[in-house]
Amino acid sequence: MRPMAWLFSAVLVVGLLGALSPASPAAAAGPVTTTTLSSATNIAPGDKVTVLERSFTLAAGESRHLRARIDTTSSTDAVVALTLSITCVDASGAEVDKGRATARNHEGRNAPYKIPGRLPIYADALLTAPAAGSYTCAMQAWTASNATSDYHLTAVAGDTWLQSSDTDQVGAYQWTNPACDSQGTLASCTYLGAGSDREWLFYSDGTPRHVWTARSSATAVDVAASYTLTTCPQGTASCQNAAIAPYQKPRGIVTVVDATLQLIQLDATGHTCHTTTVTTTGRITDGAHHYAYTQSLSSVPIRSDCGSRDFLVRVQLDHVSGQPVKIDGQQSVALSTAIIKNR
């Protein structure tokens, strides 16, 4: 993967610890700890920066749900890449599973975000200990640009945090979609808006079908999903697939994609009994190039009238208008993740 403003990458990094504070949006069923960045941290282009980290001593098979939020400002007016990832290692430094990440270009110091110039993105990860021992999970940030190297991003103190569950998330499960390289050349990459305007992430995109069963003691279910889409304007290096060429447009438009996170409780025959949803409309400029979706469903009751405690999780993606888009997948990190937990 090449470090370009139009082509992001995500890499492992090292870092800085902040103060503990009460939780923001809950990452897990049960108590959580939120580690909040206590002083602003600069992220220089190409640098590997750990913004925050947490360590755990876990029994074999024990799980923790982690959610990260980075709120960033930029010192430049140029468009530059930003990737947020969570990577966990064991006591020897060996990586546990793949890191989990989302990405979006920062569009400049005065970009018209909700707070002008401040871009927040989120990522989720589920750490499940393969063996008893100590584990450290780092919240990592990376930036690069092919337009300039004379800049830095800054993680904003107080509004940047790493949240983790304090107790075992027994029975929790994590979905990951198939590999899709940053150039978009793999056969397992999925595109929208190029002959097909609807896809189901974690369901019909090549993700192995997994039916999850709630614990007998659980009364409700939590779901968290974080994933990235990439726009495909003419000339981008991120969508090298000849089949989408007739659908690509010149740079400078806004692409609209509706994303609906669906939690489906099945009946005793394996068919849909009840569906709970939340929808997010992504408006993706060609400058942003990527859109980092973060969605959750909390305390969804397990219905006894369904005759089953089995569930499916998927995200319905509807391309409304604009450029074709690529659903980002597994690279050096996994760029699309969904987590389900008992409550």
Side-chain angles (χ1 to χ4, degrees):
M1 293 177 289
R2 290 168 288 173
M4 301 170 60
W6 288 94
L7 181 65
F8 70 84
S9 172
V11 289
L12 303 184
V13 292
V14 288
L16 171 72
L17 186 65
L20 300 183
S21 72
S24 292
V32 297
T33 295
T34 301
T35 306
T36 302
L37 188 65
S38 58
S39 59
T41 299
N42 287 345
I43 305 154
D47 278 4
K48 304 173 183 181
V49 179
T50 289
V51 179
L52 294 165
E53 63 183 9
R54 277 212 67 194
S55 295
F56 308 91
T57 300
L58 303 178
E62 195 172 352
S63 295
R64 295 290 187 273
H65 177 198
L66 297 105
R67 169 165 286 184
R69 181 188 196 269
I70 191 168
D71 192 342
T72 54
T73 60
S74 178
S75 67
T76 179
D77 293 325
V79 175
V80 302
L82 169 63
T83 297
L84 170 67
S85 60
I86 302 171
T87 301
C88 300
V89 298
D90 63 18
S92 72
E95 189 173 345
V96 180
D97 196 10
K98 277 186 174 289
R100 306 285 157 163
T102 56
R104 180 172 174 173
N105 284 355
H106 197 299
E107 296 170 83
R109 65 182 128 210
N110 296 311
Y113 303 132
K114 184 175 181 181
I115 301 177
R118 284 177 54 168
L119 172 63
I121 59 175
Y122 299 77
D124 287 278
L126 182 68
L127 166 65
T128 300
S134 298
Y135 297 87
T136 298
C137 295
M139 168 185 172
Q140 306 152 335
W142 175 93
T143 185
S145 170
N146 61 347
T148 179
S149 59
D150 185 21
Y151 79 96
H152 62 269
L153 299 181
T154 299
V156 177
D159 290 322
T160 296
W161 44 256
L162 175 63
Q163 186 181 83
S164 57
S165 52
D166 293 335
T167 57
D168 186 12
Q169 303 298 287
V170 178
Y173 182 82
Q174 180 169 249
W175 281 266
T176 307
N177 69 333
C180 184
D181 59 321
S182 61
Q183 292 81 20
T185 59
L186 295 179
S188 52
C189 291
T190 300
Y191 289 90
L192 278 169
S196 174
D197 289 331
R198 175 169 289 179
E199 181 59 85
W200 283 271
L201 176 62
F202 309 124
Y203 183 75
S204 61
D205 60 346
T207 304
R209 189 174 188 271
H210 178 81
V211 175
W212 179 83
T213 303
R215 294 180 70 196
S216 59
S217 59
T219 59
V221 172
D222 292 342
V223 179
S226 55
Y227 50 96
T228 303
L229 303 184
T230 294
T231 62
C232 300
Q234 292 175 356
T236 181
S238 298
C239 306
Q240 297 179 30
N241 184 311
I244 72 168
Y247 303 92
Q248 291 177 283
K249 304 168 181 66
R251 298 186 195 275
I253 67 174
V254 175
T255 298
V256 180
V257 179
D258 288 337
T260 302
L261 175 63
Q262 301 177 342
L263 172 65
I264 304 169
Q265 185 170 354
L266 303 177
D267 64 20
T269 68
H271 295 87
T272 298
C273 173
H274 183 76
T275 302
T276 305
T277 67
V278 60
T279 298
T280 302
T281 297
R283 302 182 185 278
I284 317 167
T285 66
D286 285 335
H289 191 36
H290 317 289
Y291 194 89
Y293 288 84
T294 301
Q295 297 174 301
S296 62
L297 294 165
S298 298
S299 299
V300 178
I302 300 172
R303 295 171 62 113
S304 59
D305 59 339
C306 285
S308 162
R309 298 175 67 82
D310 292 343
F311 290 85
L312 289 173
V313 170
R314 66 184 186 182
V315 179
Q316 179 179 310
L317 296 169
D318 289 300
H319 183 273
V320 178
S321 62
Q323 305 285 5
V325 295
K326 180 183 69 178
I327 302 174
D328 290 295
Q330 296 187 54
Q331 300 176 21
S332 58
V333 290
L335 287 153
S336 295
T337 299
I339 298 168
I340 191 167
K341 303 162 292 180
N342 294 285
R343 180 178 284 272

